[in-house]
Amino acid sequence: MFDNSGPGSGSPERNELDKLLRGWPDRSNLPLPIELAVRDIICAIPDEFVRSALNTTYHGRVGFPGWSELERDYDLRYPAGQRTDGFMTFKDYVFKTRLGIPGNPTAVLEKILEHCPAEPLRQHSPSLHHAVMRAIAEAS
């Protein structure tokens, strides 16, 4: 399983992962968390694929500025992950606030993934390719 939050980070995702691992029935065969070198798994999807999928799905009404700009803006809004009043997860911030796409971010992500070509990860998403290769090496 891939995660971008280290042990003890306190993120909701990491708390759920830790809970899952603590309750895993077969202690001799625990899933291996592999740290992902991007803020969120969605950031591993190359900008050009996201841009193309959103353009097709929303008929040019949704502009995608790229993950770097979205991450920078999110960090300005929520410095060091501060969970202030009105806090939003990264996915909610990206899809609902910045891109103005209503509804469930997971549904939007599914639409994006439907448009992604099945090409080698190494070429299009080095960070995800690295995580997959590490997982394969650790499992061997």
Side-chain angles (χ1 to χ4, degrees):
M1 52 178 80
F2 299 112
D3 182 45
N4 73 333
S5 55
S9 71
S11 75
E13 293 87 0
R14 187 57 199 214
N15 291 341
E16 285 300 312
L17 178 58
D18 289 344
K19 182 177 162 185
L20 175 70
L21 292 173
R22 280 192 306 273
W24 198 258
D26 183 357
R27 304 304 294 170
S28 66
N29 192 21
L30 285 171
L32 177 66
I34 301 291
E35 190 169 336
L36 194 57
V38 292
R39 171 187 304 276
D40 190 290
I41 188 73
I42 63 174
C43 298
I45 304 170
D47 288 356
E48 63 268 22
F49 294 163
V50 176
R51 195 170 286 116
S52 174
L54 292 176
N55 188 46
T56 300
T57 303
Y58 298 99
H59 311 289
R61 294 187 307 265
V62 175
F64 182 72
W67 294 121
S68 295
E69 181 176 324
L70 292 168
E71 288 182 87
R72 187 172 47 252
D73 290 352
Y74 184 82
D75 288 341
L76 289 171
R77 186 170 185 152
Y78 304 108
Q82 292 177 1
R83 296 176 183 263
T84 59
D85 288 340
F87 175 81
M88 297 181 108
T89 65
F90 181 70
K91 285 183 186 83
D92 281 342
Y93 175 74
V94 166
F95 294 124
K96 293 178 180 178
T97 300
R98 280 298 309 277
L99 302 180
I101 302 172
N104 184 341
T106 302
V108 177
L109 179 58
E110 288 172 357
K111 288 180 182 183
I112 292 170
L113 291 174
E114 287 172 8
H115 288 85
C116 288
E119 295 181 29
L121 286 176
R122 181 182 328 198
Q123 178 183 357
H124 296 291
S125 185
S127 58
L128 187 55
H129 171 74
H130 175 74
V132 168
M133 296 312 295
R134 181 168 170 225
I136 291 169
E138 301 247 356
S140 302

